[in-house]
Amino acid sequence: MISHPHWWLSSDLASIGLVRDQKPSSYLSANAIVCLAGANRQSHDMEISLRNIALAVTTDDLTNAFAKILHKPPFQTSPLLNFEIHLSDESHPNGQQGTLTLPTEDAGVTFLRAHGGAGIVVKGRPVLISRSTQAIHESRIERLNNVPWRDPIQLREEQERLLRRNQSFQLLRYSFGRFLRDGSFSSQVSPPGTAHVICDTEPRQIRFTFEPRQKLQNTYDNLFGGHVTRVVTASYAPHNIATLVGNRDEDTAIVFVRADEPPVYTLVNNILDDTSRVVGLGRNDHMPPGCHSLMLAFNSQSDADRFTYACCNRLHLRYSTQHHIRIRDHTLNTTSFEKLHETLSQIPYKLGFEVEKTVADSLLSATDILSLKEVILSLQAAHGDDAPEIFRSFVSELAGRSASRTKRRKRRARRQSSQESLPSLLRRVTQEFIKEHQKPRPLLAPPPQSGVYLSYHLIVTPTRYILEGPVPDQSNSVLRRYGHPECFLRVCFQDENGSKLHREADCSIIDLLGVRYRSILLNGCRVAGRQFQFLGYSMSGLKEHSVWFVTPFKDEDGKLLNAQSIRDNLGNFSKLHKQPARLAARWSQAFSGTDPSITLLPEEIDFRCLDRYSPSGGLMTDGCSSISVELARDIWRSMQKGKKRSAKLRHVPSAFQFRLGGAKGMVVQDPTIQGKLVRLRPSQIKFDAPENLTFDVQSTSAEPIPVFLNRPLISLMEFLGVETQRIIELQDDDIHKAQSVRSSCTNASKVIQQHGLGASFHLPSLFTNLSSILQLEIGDTEDDPSLWTSKLIESSLQCVETYILRELKYRAHIAVPGSYTLLGVSDEWGCLREGEIYATVFNERTGFVQSITGKVAITRSPQIHPGDLQVVRAVQRPELEHLKNVVVFSCEGERALASCLGGGDLDGDIFNLILDPRLLPTKHFEPGEYPAVTIRSIPNACGISDVADFVIDYIQADLIGPIAISHLRFSDLKTPNCTECIQLAGFASQALDFPKSGTPVNFKSLPWLRRTQARPDFLAKEGANITGGQYYTSPKLLGQLFRRVPMKRGIPTAWNGNSSPSDGATVEVALSYVDLRHLGLPGLTDPSEELMEEMTYLLNAYCEQLLIVGQAHTMSKNKNIHISEAELVSGTIMANWSDHQRRRNTVSAMNLQTQELVRRVREELQGDDPGTPETETYEEEDQEALDTETYEDPETPETETDEDEDEVPDTPETGTDEEEDYEDCTFHEQSEESEQRVMAETFKRCLAAWCVAEDSLKEDPSMFGAQSFGLIALGMMLDIVKTSRLMM
């Protein structure tokens, strides 16, 4: 819980009545107000119900049609009779519904007598009318009688004229707050002062401006003879606003900005004329949790009308009106938060985390939780480990977002939960849980795979905090050493839109960092009643502004451990005690994501291996040493334990990227070393940690990695004389492949596998089996029985196509066939000459081997200097024949080749080898060489506060993204070797070293283009309009490539049809033609009721878990929004993110979680035999997809907020193993008869799961998760058929 020191609260707000919902396109101010049918009215009964309205009819259509009747006799004509039209925003099977409100009962009776039978035809369909039983609020009756009729067309023209002025409106009152369960508005922040609001069309936003009544004074008063005033603005982007809610029932003109996300707060100083980000309406005034919405009281109804009209027609916001929204004055009670944490401290952390999550999500308040205290304590006492799951069910019921419920049940649950007291609702959910768990119910929670743990996350933005988890995440040596994963917390500092905070030329973030984030790093934070302390970070985590916190706990010996004691146990850092950045960088080795292997004996480590230097003193073996073949085999065996037979590789990788105590880097196999021994060089040893002898693996050279071009590399290639037509051809080929993904199963499998998509759900093998076993193709033609028209498959392939095209257009992410990305190692045998490299590529699954010789281009990301791309000679040497999938660098010459490539080294860097002769540079440029950056030191021994200060400095001065973008802009306007580009290359080198040196780049020293200078079109953000003056048409290759890529827009929408979207009948017919009995498998008989019931519980549990994953990875942290099922299945995110790197990391985390979820489902489908493995001899294609995804080439940031990631990602290893002790129980180890029985039982269970999914989709075609659950079951059935055929 983030503390909230104080905020102002409104004290003079009364209950305001409002009207109901309306479509944005139907907004009409004085005459036509759209509302939900059936709203509460308080008096008078003259309202007429409208039914059977065509969907194409708008409020304007109805108003014009009814005016032709109501403005003629027998109705009054002088003045014209005023009336209001309201359309319901709810969907109805027989068309729209609404109401007509008339000022007198006589007029209504006359109207009904004349048209109550046949109705009134509007757009070819009769609108049926009848008298409503709802009462009308007195203020509406008064308004209808007193306000003259205005022609809607004239009124709209007047609004348009006023809109062009872009007018700001002064407010009578204002208040920030949130909407409660009962629909009322909780007014929480309303400081005294002067406020205005404007619908700003450029930039597109609603901007609230606030000037406090009390003017600030400081030293500037004496200097300038006046007051320093502050003006705070709160800016809402349109996509963060759910709807505008207007009032028509009271005299006061009230409009609510109902927001899903908080606004961005900035403060302007009138003396210094500077702008800075702040945490709320004051420099130090934090906003309460969930305080996102804004109440605006206008001076007049006409002001409110003009404002809402502008918002609806310029920002395309949804507008609604509602009756009687009560405004409640809620003052901050800090005591309630103290009591909340006191209560949470009395229950286990896992339950407390779930409870506090409801407060962070604004679903419940601290007061609500306190009212539930006794029930929660009883829940924990009675149900123990099940309590967190029960509470999650309670939260889903409360929010009405259960994935396993049908639409009808969800609506009923919402109505029931809104009327039920919280204690009663929690008790009811608990009873339902108990009843369900009397039946067999898979919990989908077996132990996670080695190297994966369940993590808890805290996201801190300028105005709120968000709790996420527990979710699968990559573990590290600290977590494995100490256990207690629930005591460790990943804390990430983000902006409101999910991107990294970054400085801007016209807006400072210094105050925000100091007030909001530094205090958390120094003082810790409370979560679920526990106090967490800042512990450290990994280097990749720091780049994402993510750090580790820990709460004190006792180890197995009963010793109390906290953040300081854990850091003390990492090793001896006495040599770094005055260098905060370097000290924290050394700590970070322990927090890097790694896989565990074995613990070495002290005698198995040789510290006597010296580094090799050039005659001039250049380090040639930076970060690399050797390991014996026997020890490498032991490490590999350990990593393979627990994996399925098909997930193992027989060949031990030639090289490992490792962490061992205080050492890090690469080790390469050396057959000349006898026994079990690893050699460590001084360049690898960063600090002393003699007690930590665990060999943790960060990546391996098990398989080659594909090469993808990127924008900075293409810019350099064009400058260095590479044949540009070849790059265009490669891009055209990628475009064609992307567009062919829906043409056949074969194309889908190949393209998805190449780009590493759909791996969690085994899509490549599924498509292969659909074609080869079922003889089915994908398509949407109902007349062809060989086409399967699954809507989920169709939407997933749309996501795949959009993803590939988006990567091509906005990143120039172009595949280079026949080229490879490999880990770099040093020549330990001294057989390579200067300018020579060695590389042999080997794919174990296919048996493909390529010995690389001749001229090749070599580079390393990020590329920014013209010398970062070099041409070298690849040779073969007998001494190196045992090495595969590594690039070996010579140790001869004056300078290491790796350092010539963007300042690389051999501690885990990966290098791109481009073999295509048409892509070799024809010009040579000397490599960049930059002086060593001074390591920042402080006078005294540094403590955790100094490290915290460095984290804040890093966030403030993280300039890798802006430098990369500026470099591309100067390169396009000039050339990559212009003065500005060479300067930026030097600054980029310093920025990359900043996390270790602590010396930032001086922002003001960077070469900048004028703010008015247009950008090249290829730097346009996703979805941006490039036709205006903000962008120009780049004549260079990047611009040509950008414009050649067609883009398809759109995020997959939920299925709204009345029939099942899965087309399961086609699959069942195709499956019936397979001779299952001949293969020893059961036929397509109806599963037993008991098995169907078990699979139903499994489906429901899966759907709930999948929804949690989908909610966790949206750009918006609104829990009512989630990633589509198609995106989860395809492994993509379709929404436009301003920070590409953030989206990429989010996709990786999402895929890790879906991979774990699918793995657990597949294990449940295997049955209860503990010796039965998963049938996965068919997984090779899928694992290749995982490898491709893992090793995507890092590239230049997409925007100023992005950055390059040059660390090697984790390596999934796959294949088969020849060593008997590698094997767990597999089908090969069982007798043929036993194996066949297991496969038959698994097939039967998968068939039942498929049938349950199909039945659920027939009942509720829009059920979230049911289609992908069916795909998992279908995929396993086809895999078993394939395996059975191979055994015949």
Side-chain angles (χ1 to χ4, degrees):
M1 176 75 68
I2 309 305
S3 60
H4 306 281
H6 58 82
W7 46 81
W8 300 280
L9 301 144
S10 58
S11 58
D12 59 346
L13 296 173
S15 297
I16 304 296
L18 298 173
V19 198
R20 283 231 193 201
D21 258 14
Q22 165 179 325
K23 301 174 183 176
S25 61
S26 304
Y27 172 81
L28 189 60
S29 100
N31 310 106
I33 303 174
V34 180
C35 73
L36 288 171
N40 276 334
R41 277 44 170 209
Q42 296 176 359
S43 65
H44 215 285
D45 59 352
M46 198 59 252
E47 185 165 86
I48 295 173
S49 297
L50 309 177
R51 307 186 313 280
N52 198 47
I53 306 170
L55 296 177
V57 171
T58 66
T59 306
D60 285 355
D61 296 329
L62 290 174
T63 301
N64 291 328
F66 281 54
K68 292 177 182 178
I69 298 171
L70 295 171
H71 291 166
K72 294 179 180 179
F75 303 98
Q76 70 180 49
T77 57
S78 181
L80 293 175
L81 186 73
N82 200 0
F83 63 91
E84 291 180 349
I85 296 290
H86 311 260
L87 279 181
S88 169
D89 199 36
E90 293 183 351
S91 59
H92 298 273
N94 296 322
Q96 300 184 85
Q97 296 186 9
T99 59
L100 163 66
T101 306
L102 295 169
T104 68
E105 187 171 359
D106 289 343
V109 171
T110 302
F111 183 73
L112 285 170
R113 187 179 298 119
H115 302 282
I120 299 172
V121 177
V122 181
K123 288 196 172 181
R125 184 171 179 174
V127 177
L128 304 181
I129 62 176
S130 61
R131 184 162 184 163
S132 172
T133 59
Q134 298 292 330
I136 309 173
H137 198 278
E138 291 291 350
S139 62
R140 292 177 59 205
I141 301 300
E142 182 180 353
R143 185 171 64 251
L144 285 172
N145 283 298
N146 296 333
V147 176
W149 163 264
R150 294 288 305 278
D151 182 271
I153 297 176
Q154 295 178 356
L155 187 61
R156 190 173 295 279
E157 291 175 350
E158 179 183 329
Q159 298 280 24
E160 286 291 338
R161 287 194 301 272
L162 294 172
L163 180 59
R164 287 191 285 271
R165 301 178 185 176
N166 212 25
Q167 182 180 356
S168 173
F169 302 96
Q170 186 170 354
L171 300 170
L172 282 176
R173 296 193 302 275
Y174 44 86
S175 177
F176 286 87
R178 65 187 184 96
F179 285 87
L180 305 178
R181 289 177 64 218
D182 62 3
S184 63
F185 180 76
S186 172
S187 171
Q188 298 179 319
V189 180
S190 183
T194 303
H196 294 76
V197 69
I198 184 174
C199 173
D200 202 343
T201 56
E202 190 60 45
R204 300 179 68 250
Q205 62 183 12
I206 289 179
R207 189 170 69 252
F208 171 85
T209 305
F210 166 71
E211 183 177 341
R213 185 174 298 165
Q214 298 294 328
K215 294 187 176 181
L216 301 177
Q217 297 191 28
N218 56 23
T219 54
Y220 292 112
D221 290 352
N222 297 327
L223 292 174
F224 298 98
H227 293 292
V228 176
T229 61
R230 62 177 185 179
V231 176
V232 179
T233 65
S235 303
Y236 289 93
H239 61 266
N240 290 335
I241 299 173
T243 183
L244 299 180
V245 183
N247 165 40
R248 292 290 174 178
D249 276 357
E250 297 290 348
D251 295 333
T252 307
I254 299 287
V255 175
F256 292 93
V257 178
R258 187 163 190 165
D260 292 326
E261 305 290 327
V264 172
Y265 294 95
T266 56
L267 183 145
V268 179
N269 186 301
N270 72 317
I271 296 295
L272 297 178
D273 192 26
D274 69 347
T275 303
S276 59
R277 292 284 300 276
V278 288
V279 297
L281 293 182
R283 186 178 297 252
N284 301 305
D285 301 316
H286 298 268
M287 300 297 284
C291 191
H292 308 332
S293 296
L294 176 61
M295 187 281 293
L296 306 170
F298 290 86
N299 283 296
S300 66
Q301 188 62 54
S302 61
D303 282 357
D305 288 344
R306 288 197 294 270
F307 172 73
T308 51
Y309 181 85
C311 292
C312 292
N313 288 273
R314 291 299 183 264
L315 304 185
H316 305 294
L317 295 177
R318 178 174 172 269
Y319 174 75
S320 65
T321 52
Q322 295 183 18
H323 283 293
H324 312 309
I325 292 183
R326 184 179 179 186
I327 300 179
R328 304 174 184 267
D329 293 345
H330 284 158
T331 58
L332 171 66
N333 185 357
T334 56
T335 305
S336 64
F337 283 104
E338 293 299 327
K339 290 181 178 179
L340 171 65
H341 281 289
E342 181 182 346
T343 298
L344 296 179
S345 67
Q346 299 172 24
I347 58 179
Y349 177 75
K350 293 179 180 179
L351 176 57
F353 190 87
E354 298 296 335
V355 173
E356 185 168 355
K357 207 187 294 185
T358 64
V359 178
D361 293 343
S362 305
L363 189 62
L364 296 175
S365 67
T367 304
D368 292 331
I369 298 299
L370 292 175
S371 73
L372 287 169
K373 176 180 178 180
E374 296 304 323
V375 184
I376 292 173
L377 292 175
S378 299
L379 174 68
Q380 175 59 40
H383 300 284
D385 292 341
D386 286 334
E389 185 179 355
I390 295 174
F391 197 85
R392 279 195 294 270
S393 299
F394 161 73
V395 172
S396 296
E397 183 85 12
L398 189 64
R401 56 177 182 238
S402 174
S404 57
R405 282 208 177 95
T406 63
K407 284 183 176 179
R408 184 177 302 173
R409 289 177 62 199
K410 285 180 182 179
R411 287 195 296 266
R412 185 169 64 246
R414 280 197 201 98
R415 289 195 299 268
Q416 187 174 358
S417 63
S418 64
Q419 299 166 1
E420 207 171 353
S421 70
L422 292 175
S424 174
L425 178 61
L426 181 51
R427 291 189 187 98
R428 176 170 62 82
V429 170
T430 302
Q431 291 302 315
E432 292 175 356
F433 181 89
I434 295 171
K435 183 178 179 180
E436 287 186 357
H437 281 65
Q438 291 173 350
K439 304 170 184 178
R441 176 186 171 94
L443 299 180
L444 288 181
Q449 290 179 318
S450 176
V452 178
Y453 82 109
L454 294 178
S455 67
Y456 294 83
H457 295 240
L458 167 65
I459 298 173
V460 184
T461 77
T463 66
R464 59 179 172 160
Y465 74 106
I466 302 162
L467 296 175
E468 292 183 347
V471 293
D473 207 346
Q474 183 75 22
S475 71
N476 57 53
S477 63
V478 170
L479 291 168
R480 293 191 292 269
R481 179 177 179 181
Y482 293 104
H484 298 279
E486 73 282 356
C487 295
F488 292 84
L489 184 70
R490 295 195 69 168
V491 178
C492 187
F493 301 132
Q494 296 181 3
D495 208 340
E496 302 295 359
N497 63 359
S499 66
K500 291 186 298 183
L501 275 166
H502 62 96
R503 67 183 299 172
E504 298 176 354
D506 57 351
C507 188
S508 170
I509 61 172
I510 295 176
D511 284 347
L512 177 63
L513 294 175
V515 171
R516 181 65 165 167
Y517 300 129
R518 187 176 184 274
S519 61
I520 296 174
L521 289 169
L522 290 180
N523 304 321
C525 59
R526 278 192 302 178
V527 175
R530 280 76 173 170
Q531 185 69 23
F532 283 81
Q533 306 163 328
F534 174 43
L535 176 62
Y537 52 78
S538 67
M539 294 306 290
S540 59
L542 177 65
K543 293 175 182 179
E544 292 304 310
H545 305 171
S546 176
V547 297
W548 285 97
F549 276 57
V550 67
T551 190
F553 63 91
K554 291 183 178 180
D555 64 10
E556 296 177 353
D557 299 326
K559 181 182 178 182
L560 185 66
L561 296 174
N562 57 22
Q564 186 59 52
S565 58
I566 291 174
R567 287 192 295 267
D568 290 341
N569 292 336
L570 294 180
N572 182 359
F573 304 97
S574 57
K575 297 179 181 178
L576 307 171
H577 68 286
K578 293 186 177 182
Q579 300 173 350
R582 181 59 63 94
L583 174 63
R586 298 306 174 228
W587 291 345
S588 73
Q589 290 180 210
F591 298 105
S592 298
T594 55
D595 289 321
S597 62
I598 62 176
T599 300
L600 305 183
L601 300 174
E603 57 268 26
E604 293 174 340
I605 306 174
D606 180 6
F607 293 96
R608 297 169 299 174
C609 184
L610 300 177
D611 278 299
R612 299 185 185 182
Y613 291 86
S614 69
S616 60
L619 181 58
M620 310 299 285
T621 55
D622 190 4
C624 187
S625 61
S626 54
I627 188 173
S628 68
V629 173
E630 186 176 350
L631 184 56
R633 184 181 295 116
D634 286 351
I635 292 169
W636 189 236
R637 287 179 181 174
S638 176
M639 295 179 66
Q640 300 297 287
K641 285 181 180 178
K643 293 186 178 181
K644 305 301 178 185
R645 174 176 50 81
S646 63
K648 299 177 179 178
L649 288 175
R650 178 178 60 212
H651 295 85
V652 180
S654 299
F656 298 85
Q657 185 185 14
F658 74 98
R659 299 287 188 269
L660 174 58
K664 63 184 285 281
M666 291 291 300
V667 287
V668 60
Q669 282 195 50
D670 185 349
T672 65
I673 302 177
Q674 300 299 313
K676 299 180 180 181
L677 189 70
V678 60
R679 291 173 174 167
L680 297 180
R681 286 192 162 106
S683 63
Q684 296 174 300
I685 301 171
K686 308 303 180 181
F687 60 91
D688 295 329
E691 296 181 0
N692 186 358
L693 300 179
T694 301
F695 193 95
D696 294 322
V697 178
Q698 192 165 13
S699 67
T700 77
S701 62
E703 294 186 303
I705 312 163
V707 170
F708 289 87
L709 302 181
N710 56 51
R711 292 182 303 188
L713 178 56
I714 291 172
S715 177
L716 294 183
M717 290 176 116
E718 181 183 26
F719 172 70
L720 295 173
V722 168
E723 186 180 335
T724 57
Q725 183 57 36
R726 177 55 179 159
I727 298 177
I728 293 174
E729 291 172 3
L730 290 174
Q731 187 193 58
D732 287 348
D733 186 51
D734 277 355
I735 294 172
H736 173 73
K737 288 178 180 177
Q739 294 175 331
S740 71
V741 74
R742 287 183 283 171
S743 63
S744 72
C745 285
T746 300
N747 287 342
S749 180
K750 288 180 179 179
V751 173
I752 289 173
Q753 180 178 311
Q754 178 188 10
H755 289 272
L757 302 174
S760 296
F761 289 83
H762 305 261
L763 288 190
S765 65
L766 174 64
F767 283 119
T768 299
N769 291 336
L770 283 172
S771 177
S772 62
I773 296 175
L774 298 185
Q775 308 299 311
L776 286 178
E777 287 296 338
I778 46 181
D780 54 7
T781 304
E782 297 181 0
D783 297 334
D784 189 343
S786 67
L787 290 179
W788 184 30
T789 59
S790 165
K791 296 303 178 183
L792 178 60
I793 289 295
E794 180 183 337
S795 296
S796 297
L797 292 178
Q798 276 184 317
C799 290
V800 168
E801 179 182 354
T802 301
Y803 166 83
I804 297 171
L805 293 177
R806 182 174 63 191
E807 293 291 287
L808 287 170
K809 190 173 189 71
Y810 295 103
R811 293 180 62 206
H813 191 70
I814 302 171
V816 184
S819 295
Y820 307 97
T821 302
L822 306 174
L823 285 160
V825 299
S826 57
D827 176 15
E828 298 294 317
W829 300 264
C831 57
L832 294 177
R833 298 174 184 152
E834 183 178 3
E836 291 181 342
I837 63 165
Y838 167 89
T840 294
V841 173
F842 171 58
N843 187 315
E844 181 172 318
R845 277 187 294 274
T846 63
F848 173 79
V849 179
Q850 180 177 0
S851 299
I852 298 174
T853 58
K855 284 187 176 183
V856 299
I858 187 168
T859 185
R860 167 188 167 273
S861 292
Q863 300 92 356
I864 195 168
H865 188 279
D868 289 343
L869 178 63
Q870 295 289 319
V871 177
V872 295
R873 191 165 72 95
V875 298
Q876 293 291 301
R877 295 285 186 264
E879 299 93 332
L880 307 177
E881 286 180 351
H882 65 287
L883 299 180
K884 304 292 188 297
N885 300 328
V886 294
V887 53
V888 184
F889 289 92
S890 170
C891 292
E892 295 186 4
E894 290 300 319
R895 183 181 177 187
L897 176 59
S899 73
C900 297
L901 306 174
D905 54 34
L906 303 179
D907 70 349
D909 287 3
I910 52 176
F911 299 86
N912 308 118
L913 270 62
I914 300 175
L915 278 57
D916 190 329
R918 295 174 65 188
L919 295 180
L920 299 184
T922 58
K923 302 176 185 177
H924 173 73
F925 211 93
E926 287 297 319
E929 190 166 6
Y930 315 106
V933 179
T934 302
I935 297 176
R936 179 178 172 269
S937 298
I938 59 176
N940 303 314
C942 60
I944 194 64
S945 62
D946 298 293
V947 176
D949 287 339
F950 168 71
V951 173
I952 297 300
D953 290 344
Y954 180 82
I955 296 175
Q956 163 71 8
D958 181 11
L959 296 174
I960 295 175
I963 289 172
I965 295 298
S966 292
H967 183 271
L968 285 173
R969 295 181 68 185
F970 277 111
S971 295
D972 196 67
L973 291 170
K974 300 181 180 181
T975 59
N977 71 331
C978 68
T979 301
E980 293 86 352
C981 285
I982 298 301
Q983 289 176 346
L984 287 168
F987 286 124
S989 176
Q990 182 180 346
L992 288 169
D993 285 338
F994 179 31
K996 299 177 183 178
S997 69
T999 303
V1001 173
N1002 186 340
F1003 184 81
K1004 295 181 179 179
S1005 64
L1006 294 174
W1008 296 104
L1009 290 164
R1010 298 187 311 275
R1011 292 182 60 83
T1012 56
Q1013 172 65 50
R1015 292 181 167 214
D1017 51 2
F1018 63 81
L1019 285 180
K1021 294 181 179 180
E1022 296 173 12
N1025 180 11
I1026 61 173
T1027 58
Q1030 189 177 359
Y1031 299 98
Y1032 66 87
T1033 301
S1034 169
K1036 293 191 176 179
L1037 180 57
L1038 283 175
Q1040 298 174 45
L1041 295 171
F1042 174 82
R1043 294 185 292 275
R1044 291 177 70 88
V1045 181
M1047 265 315 294
K1048 292 186 176 181
R1049 295 288 170 198
I1051 298 175
T1053 57
W1055 174 250
N1056 290 320
N1058 295 322
S1059 60
S1060 172
S1062 67
D1063 189 23
T1066 299
V1067 174
E1068 291 177 19
V1069 170
L1071 198 56
S1072 68
Y1073 291 119
V1074 179
D1075 192 352
L1076 298 174
R1077 301 288 187 185
H1078 177 70
L1079 297 174
L1081 301 174
L1084 300 181
T1085 57
D1086 291 338
S1088 66
E1089 289 186 12
E1090 182 181 1
L1091 187 54
M1092 290 288 284
E1093 184 179 43
E1094 179 185 348
M1095 291 301 113
T1096 299
Y1097 284 118
L1098 178 60
L1099 168 64
N1100 291 339
Y1102 165 80
C1103 291
E1104 295 292 344
Q1105 292 295 317
L1106 188 69
L1107 181 61
I1108 291 172
V1109 176
Q1111 290 167 340
H1113 299 294
T1114 59
M1115 182 168 58
S1116 163
K1117 293 302 179 181
N1118 184 341
K1119 297 303 179 182
N1120 293 319
I1121 301 173
H1122 57 78
I1123 298 293
S1124 70
E1125 192 174 0
E1127 291 169 284
L1128 290 163
V1129 168
S1130 62
T1132 63
I1133 293 179
M1134 292 291 99
N1136 292 335
W1137 285 38
S1138 60
D1139 186 339
H1140 164 74
Q1141 184 66 35
R1142 175 76 69 184
R1143 178 172 60 195
R1144 200 168 134 191
N1145 293 338
T1146 300
V1147 168
S1148 297
M1150 179 185 78
N1151 288 340
L1152 175 62
Q1153 291 165 28
T1154 54
Q1155 180 185 353
E1156 277 293 299
L1157 176 59
V1158 173
R1159 180 184 66 81
R1160 298 200 302 265
V1161 170
R1162 291 169 73 95
E1163 288 182 356
E1164 293 285 356
L1165 293 176
Q1166 285 292 335
D1168 298 327
D1169 185 354
T1172 303
E1174 193 176 341
T1175 312
E1176 295 194 8
T1177 55
Y1178 40 79
E1179 278 189 5
E1180 294 176 357
E1181 300 92 341
D1182 301 61
Q1183 191 61 51
E1184 286 182 5
L1186 278 173
D1187 298 340
T1188 305
E1189 176 185 22
T1190 302
Y1191 283 123
E1192 275 194 21
D1193 188 31
E1195 75 153 274
T1196 295
E1198 195 65 22
T1199 70
E1200 284 82 344
T1201 61
D1202 295 340
E1203 65 179 79
D1204 297 278
E1205 174 64 73
D1206 58 359
E1207 292 189 8
V1208 181
D1210 304 322
T1211 314
E1213 276 72 23
T1214 58
T1216 58
D1217 198 324
E1218 66 183 355
E1219 299 284 346
E1220 189 173 296
D1221 59 350
Y1222 279 33
E1223 302 291 340
D1224 302 319
C1225 293
T1226 66
F1227 289 142
H1228 273 300
E1229 294 174 343
Q1230 303 172 32
S1231 67
E1232 185 174 332
E1233 182 180 352
S1234 173
E1235 180 178 351
Q1236 195 65 51
R1237 284 199 307 269
V1238 171
M1239 288 198 297
E1241 177 63 23
T1242 302
F1243 187 92
K1244 186 197 307 183
R1245 294 175 62 80
C1246 292
L1247 178 61
W1250 164 264
C1251 292
V1252 163
E1254 287 298 302
D1255 290 347
S1256 299
L1257 289 169
K1258 289 174 184 175
E1259 179 185 358
D1260 180 11
S1262 64
M1263 182 177 179
F1264 184 82
Q1267 291 186 77
S1268 57
F1269 183 81
L1271 288 185
I1272 296 171
L1274 175 62
M1276 289 188 68
M1277 285 193 287
L1278 297 181
D1279 293 332
I1280 292 171
V1281 171
K1282 180 179 178 180
T1283 303
S1284 298
R1285 285 181 172 177
L1286 293 174
M1287 294 172 58
M1288 294 297 292

